């Protein structure tokens, strides 16, 4: 792939406000998009995410409550994601999830594992000062946005439109996720929603500041 093709995909990508409800993303293509989320980097490699793909329209209706930025997308998107982010009971340095993750997924062993545990504890307690539960969640949430960026770009590269969504009331949506989706909201919160499909009309021309106004060279 050459640079111009990649930039064309960045120009193609826009926050799609309304999708063509008649057009469905082939399963293979959507699995490709999810794979780019799965392979995304995260701080210390902890993958503090889970993605609910909401294809059931009864559940999509329930998500509309308080989700002012998602309504038309919930009606028209081919595929709709809710990104769950791990909260403190899962993501704190000494949680059973993290301890298990370091040995079973990351394959750390013996002395290297013990050193790693100390590094993670020091990073969370001292380097990044993530003592409070809210801070840990926001830190984990930042990682989830990397996966979001990758999904949006990957989708654009294969001609699929998307929209990232923060237009919802977090507390309200977490209540819906708990009551209607069976999510354990002690362990998971929501970072964002994301809709995927095919545009029904062309977007406005893209607006951005110029590179010279964004970058400082020293
Ligand atoms: C984290 C995030 C949340 C967003 N939330 C919404 C949303 O709720 N509804 C919406 O229509 N667009 C939403 N957007 C889209 C932005 O408004 C859009 O990306 C921005 O205006 C730039 O336009 P472009 O993406 O079309 O280039 C969101 C974008 C991001 C990155």
């Amino acid at each position: 792939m050459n640079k111009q093709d990649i930039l064309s995909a960045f120009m193609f990508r826009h926050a799609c406000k309304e999708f063509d409800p008649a057009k469905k993303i082939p399963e293979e293509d959507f699995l490709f998009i999810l794979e780019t989320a799965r392979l995304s980097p995260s701080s210390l490699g902890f993958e503090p995410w889970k993605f609910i793909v909401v294809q059931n329209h009864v559940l999509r209706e329930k998500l509309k409550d308080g989700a002012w930025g998602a309504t038309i997308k919930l009606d028209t998107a081919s595929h709709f994601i809710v990104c769950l982010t791990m909260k403190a009971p899962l993501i704190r340095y000494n949680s059973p999830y993290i301890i298990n993750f370091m040995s079973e997924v990351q394959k750390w062993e013996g002395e290297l594992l013990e050193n790693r545990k100390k590094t993670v504890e020091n990073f969370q307690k001292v380097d990044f000062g993530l003592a409070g539960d809210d801070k840990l969640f926001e830190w984990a949430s930042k990682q989830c946005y990397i996966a979001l960026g990758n999904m949006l770009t990957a989708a654009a590269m294969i001609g699929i439109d998307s929209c990232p969504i923060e237009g919802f009331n977090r507390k309200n949506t977490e209540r819906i996720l708990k009551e209607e989706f069976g999510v354990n909201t002690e362990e998971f919160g929501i970072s964002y929603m994301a809709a995927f499909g095919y545009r029904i009309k062309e977007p406005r021309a893209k607006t951005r500041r110029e590179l010279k106004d964004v970058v400082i060279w020293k």
Side-chain angles (χ1 to χ4, degrees):
M1 184 172 265
N2 66 38
K3 292 194 279 281
Q4 197 46 54
D5 287 340
I6 296 171
L7 283 180
S8 297
F10 274 81
M11 287 303 291
F12 171 88
R13 190 216 57 77
H14 68 291
C16 186
K17 302 298 173 200
E18 184 174 355
F19 299 89
D20 183 342
K23 289 194 187 159
K24 292 286 163 242
I25 300 172
E27 190 189 359
E28 184 195 336
D29 287 358
F30 200 68
L31 289 175
F32 160 77
I33 293 168
L34 289 173
E35 188 66 351
T36 68
R38 190 179 75 87
L39 293 174
S40 293
S42 54
S43 183
L44 301 166
F46 287 157
E47 305 172 35
W49 47 60
K50 272 220 173 152
F51 304 97
I52 307 181
V53 185
V54 190
Q55 298 308 83
N56 178 318
H57 276 270
V58 176
L59 288 176
R60 283 198 188 185
E61 277 302 315
K62 308 236 183 215
L63 280 177
K64 281 184 187 172
D65 187 6
W68 49 271
T71 319
I72 300 169
K73 289 100 175 170
L74 280 161
D75 281 336
T76 60
S78 165
H79 287 67
F80 194 92
I81 283 180
V82 172
C83 175
L84 300 180
T85 298
M86 292 181 190
K87 289 184 175 175
L90 292 182
I91 207 68
R92 197 183 298 286
Y93 68 92
N94 56 358
S95 76
Y97 169 79
I98 292 299
I99 300 296
N100 180 65
F101 187 91
M102 283 193 277
S103 56
E104 297 306 314
V105 180
Q106 295 184 314
K107 312 284 183 206
W108 294 103
E109 289 175 346
E111 200 181 327
L112 286 176
L113 175 62
E114 292 316 307
N115 287 342
R116 189 75 184 163
K117 285 182 188 167
K118 284 189 203 123
T119 303
V120 172
E121 179 176 358
N122 196 61
F123 171 80
Q124 287 196 354
K125 281 187 178 167
V126 183
D127 293 337
F128 259 52
L130 302 173
D133 287 7
D134 286 354
K135 282 197 171 177
L136 272 169
F137 175 76
E138 294 305 333
W139 171 68
S141 187
K142 285 195 288 185
Q143 321 306 322
C144 294
Y145 281 82
I146 299 172
L148 172 67
N150 286 337
M151 287 192 281
L152 304 184
T153 303
M157 283 178 160
I158 57 169
I160 291 173
D161 290 305
S162 61
C163 187
I165 300 163
E166 277 184 341
F168 55 87
N169 180 295
R170 222 182 211 176
K171 221 171 155 186
N172 205 36
T173 303
E174 282 195 17
R175 180 187 52 75
I176 295 164
L177 290 171
K178 181 178 176 182
E179 291 174 3
E180 309 292 344
F181 290 69
V183 171
N184 180 343
T185 50
E186 299 295 312
E187 296 186 336
F188 287 96
I190 180 170
S191 285
Y192 54 80
M193 303 173 182
F196 297 86
Y198 299 94
R199 67 189 71 183
I200 198 147
K201 59 176 187 244
E202 288 308 307
R204 291 173 62 212
K206 199 171 270 309
T207 60
R208 287 296 188 272
R209 287 177 291 160
E210 289 180 36
L211 197 67
K212 69 175 172 50
D213 298 325
V214 180
V215 180
I216 302 163
W217 294 82
K218 291 282 183 197

